[in-house]
Amino acid sequence: MKILVTGGAGFIGSHVVDAYVGAGHQIVVVDNLTTGRRERVNPAAQLYAIDIRSPELRDVFERERPEVVNHHAAQASVTASVADPRVDAEINVMGTLHLLTLCAQSRVRRFVFASTGGAIYGNPQRIPADEQHPTTPLSPYGIHKLVGEHYVRYFGSTGMTWAILRYANVYGPRQDPFGEAGVVAIFTRAMLDGKAPTIFGDGKQTRDFVYVEDVARANLLATDATTSDLANIGTGVETSVNDIARHLASLTGFRGEPLRVAPRLGEVYRIALDASKAKRWLSWGPQTSLMDGLRKTAEWFQSTR
Ligand SMILES: NC(=O)c1ccc[n+]([C@@H]2O[C@H](COP(=O)([O-])OP(=O)(O)OC[C@H]3O[C@@H](n4cnc5c(N)ncnc54)[C@H](O)[C@@H]3O)[C@@H](O)[C@H]2O)c1
């Protein structure tokens, strides 16, 4: 099957492309390489280094005629969205709308959308949060991802089936260790360099860490499914930032103490996602334990030094 993956040169998108190629699909990647990297794109895939907002995207649809579109391209930084909500809206709302319009015009059969749990639910009223949880985004990024979801549903009424996957905190090889998010990548890189990682606040804040290959598998299953639906992709388990630091210190041999600074504003304190719907709908569940995932991530960062 021919599948167009936007953001296929990015952290998660490149793993999704690898999974698709492994399953025998023919892959076209659209990525403007802002945070993505050309060398991450599977050599079996065809890369178009263009912006999802550009007029050239129409030419790609006309030339490639994809059956399925998997949308991972995004401005994915919460901090950047707070600093410049307009740019976030241009990419995450108008870019998504442009893509969906072309999908409808070229009769794409199915659309898979990478969305977010934590940024959409806001401070959770119950943990783990399920898909029925109220949506009260705390950032422009969360607002725009939610708008993207509504547009996906709207375009679904034009004949295309869809899957929306709301990810927890995804971690694993290829994650950017120099960004403001991605605590596993940032801590691993710092510890391997013998530098103290910085913990914001008391470190007791929790996240739901899901391994990137499990997320890629969820995309395969969501592509093969025929119904239109939405599901959280997480583990349901809360892990504190202090625990992540402790596990990574033992995996990397780091003996120092983390640097502790004031908490960051606008971040949720605790979150975990209930993924029982993904189990019912897609027969998906996480297969990589936190310790295995952290070990694989640390080995990958070690091998790319
Ligand atoms: N990392 C997480 O924990 C997480 C959690 C929830 C949702 N998500 C979502 O998953 C997707 C992938 O995130 P990621 O962590 O891999 O981030 P990433 O920054 O590594 O990937 C985004 C990719 O999109 C590309 N891109 C950005 N703007 C573009 C544009 N205008 N046109 C074309 N390409 C563009 C970038 O170059 C990059 O390759 C995003 O949609 C993000 O919102 C990620």
Side-chain angles (χ1 to χ4, degrees):
M1 190 156 62
K2 188 178 272 193
I3 306 175
L4 188 154
V5 183
T6 72
F11 161 48
I12 303 171
S14 66
H15 286 275
V16 171
V17 170
D18 289 350
Y20 278 146
V21 169
H25 296 300
Q26 199 185 340
I27 304 303
V28 175
V29 169
V30 167
D31 194 305
N32 69 355
L33 304 176
T34 43
T35 55
R37 300 227 203 117
R38 196 178 283 275
E39 60 272 21
R40 285 195 197 131
V41 179
N42 189 299
Q46 162 83 40
L47 169 67
Y48 290 90
I50 60 164
D51 196 295
I52 53 167
R53 297 164 292 176
S54 70
E56 288 78 34
L57 188 60
R58 176 181 293 280
D59 305 335
V60 175
F61 273 82
E62 283 173 2
R63 194 169 317 127
E64 301 289 349
R65 297 255 153 231
E67 258 183 273
V68 172
V69 169
N70 180 307
H71 184 30
H72 271 75
Q75 188 307 103
S77 157
V78 171
T79 310
S81 84
V82 171
D84 198 339
R86 191 182 50 83
V87 168
D88 191 274
E90 279 170 5
I91 299 169
N92 293 346
V93 178
M94 296 313 286
T96 299
L97 180 54
H98 184 217
L99 180 68
L100 282 162
T101 306
L102 291 172
C103 288
Q105 285 170 0
S106 58
R107 301 195 193 289
V108 163
R109 187 173 56 74
R110 189 160 178 80
F111 192 88
V112 180
F113 181 51
S115 189
T116 166
I120 277 185
Y121 298 130
N123 276 311
Q125 296 169 6
R126 50 181 185 272
I127 293 180
D130 61 19
E131 294 81 0
Q132 306 306 318
H133 189 282
T135 51
T136 44
L138 300 178
S139 64
Y141 168 74
I143 295 169
H144 298 148
K145 278 281 168 184
L146 191 53
V147 173
E149 286 193 3
H150 285 300
Y151 268 122
V152 171
R153 287 169 186 272
Y154 168 73
F155 276 88
S157 63
T158 66
M160 185 161 54
T161 67
W162 51 266
I164 294 170
L165 303 177
R166 286 183 177 164
Y167 301 156
N169 277 62
V170 188
Y171 74 97
R174 303 180 194 157
Q175 190 164 27
D176 177 12
F178 303 111
E180 109 286 346
V183 67
V184 172
I186 294 168
F187 282 14
T188 307
R189 173 84 285 159
M191 288 180 182
L192 286 172
D193 290 346
K195 294 182 189 146
T198 302
I199 292 182
F200 295 91
D202 61 10
K204 291 180 186 161
Q205 64 270 40
T206 63
R207 297 289 180 266
D208 179 343
F209 293 96
V210 61
Y211 189 62
V212 68
E213 286 177 12
D214 283 332
V215 172
R217 189 165 40 81
N219 277 270
L220 276 185
L221 294 166
T223 301
D224 290 344
T226 51
T227 48
S228 297
D229 215 333
L230 151 89
N232 288 337
I233 299 296
T235 67
V237 177
E238 288 180 83
T239 304
S240 74
V241 170
N242 284 338
D243 281 345
I244 290 290
R246 199 165 43 77
H247 294 319
L248 285 174
S250 82
L251 286 166
T252 59
F254 178 75
R255 290 177 195 285
E257 280 298 313
L259 208 66
R260 291 185 187 271
V261 300
R264 281 198 288 207
L265 295 178
E267 286 193 340
V268 300
Y269 191 65
R270 292 176 57 197
I271 183 78
L273 302 186
D274 181 344
S276 42
K277 167 100 177 271
K279 183 150 183 64
R280 289 196 302 279
W281 173 38
L282 304 172
S283 302
W284 179 88
Q287 292 179 346
T288 311
S289 70
L290 180 65
M291 285 314 287
D292 278 352
L294 292 179
R295 187 178 40 74
K296 285 185 190 179
T297 308
E299 283 169 5
W300 182 83
F301 274 101
Q302 181 75 49
S303 73
T304 56
R305 292 183 84 196

